[in-house]
Amino acid sequence: VATMCNGFLSVNLEPQVIRNFKLSASNVGLLYGLRDGANSLASPIWGWLCDRKRSVKPYLVISSLLVAISFFLMKAYEMLGIYIDLNIYVLVLALCINGMGVGGQQIAGVIDALHEAVGAGFPDDPSTQGLVAGLWSSLSGMGRFISRAGSGYLVDNFGFSLVSALFCGLQLTCTVVTFVYLVMFECHLQKREYASWDDVTVVDGNGRGRDDKVVFTESYSPSESLMTRSVYIGLPHSYNAGMRIANSMPPKMLQNPNMRSRATSMR
């Protein structure tokens, strides 16, 4: 949706909106650059915010709402019978809000996709990251193609205001759907512990004594590797050597071949 919005504005903004101000070519380029400039300045901030939260869906809600507001200011208000004087200052504000919102959607969207993929059981390794990045690139290209080809046709037949309202509605739909999912599935009144036996491995000992250890791996942010935080605890004396324990360590970390054969997955 974010790339579709970018494609729509890249094709229709100048002939439908900016041309009415009779600006020079340099000023037209400056207005186009404002949106991308706001995107580039806001993206590191979005990334910093996403690193501080396990779930980044609240930032998806906020960024989608920002993009919806920007389209509302760019003539979508006419569909509601509201009149706003779209002067150059309102246009600059709308473009800056649009750039910040699209940047948030792209950053938080990729991080959330990685988080959901790992949560669904995919390994947290370069292969999964490459899969998510490939899907993101493919869908972005498809969104740009559809928006640039389709929005031009829609604007010619129905006008800029209606198509701008359409994209405003798409962003509001993303906002509402993401918010409902967040409330229904990720908001809990009680804090939950996320450590599980899926992230446990034997790292020391022969599986029979008090000196044996296991490691619980924990990720402190959605963009961190799952192996970046570890808490070691001792195994109880009554530990059964036949217990199947998850191997979350790379094979080279298990020096003893017997240890490597014993550290199998526990589900």
Side-chain angles (χ1 to χ4, degrees), residues 21-204:
F21 297 105
K22 302 185 185 311
L23 300 174
S24 63
S26 60
N27 288 330
V28 171
L30 179 61
L31 284 178
Y32 266 102
L34 281 175
R35 185 165 55 93
D36 294 327
N39 188 321
S40 63
L41 291 176
S43 292
I45 299 176
W46 287 116
W48 178 76
L49 291 173
C50 289
D51 274 341
R52 298 172 63 87
K53 288 287 187 179
R54 172 174 287 274
S55 175
V56 299
K57 287 184 177 63
Y59 302 125
L60 283 174
V61 173
I62 295 172
S63 58
S64 298
L65 187 59
L66 287 175
V67 180
I69 292 173
S70 71
F71 279 109
F72 179 80
L73 294 175
M74 288 188 282
K75 293 192 174 183
Y77 53 79
E78 293 181 359
M79 295 297 100
L80 299 178
I82 301 173
Y83 176 76
I84 297 176
D85 182 19
L86 184 59
N87 54 43
I88 191 69
Y89 302 106
V90 175
L91 180 60
V92 167
L93 176 63
L95 291 175
C96 290
I97 294 175
N98 184 274
M100 290 187 295
V102 169
Q105 285 185 306
Q106 292 174 334
I107 297 298
V110 172
I111 293 177
D112 187 62
L114 287 169
H115 188 197
E116 293 294 336
V118 173
F122 286 87
D124 186 20
D125 58 15
S127 64
T128 300
Q129 296 166 8
L131 174 64
V132 172
L135 287 173
W136 182 87
S137 178
S138 176
L139 293 174
S140 295
M142 183 176 67
R144 285 190 292 269
F145 170 75
I146 294 174
S147 62
R148 289 173 181 173
S151 64
Y153 172 81
L154 292 175
V155 169
D156 285 341
N157 290 274
F158 301 102
F160 182 85
S161 299
L162 179 61
V163 182
S164 181
L166 174 64
F167 280 98
C168 180
L170 284 175
Q171 292 291 344
L172 287 176
T173 301
C174 291
T175 302
V176 172
V177 170
T178 306
F179 180 77
V180 170
Y181 180 89
L182 180 65
V183 171
M184 296 292 292
F185 298 102
E186 293 193 4
C187 289
H188 307 287
L189 296 177
Q190 185 176 6
K191 182 179 178 181
R192 295 188 177 184
E193 298 295 335
Y194 288 91
S196 66
W197 284 102
D198 291 339
D199 302 320
V200 178
T201 187
V202 174
V203 297
D204 190 19

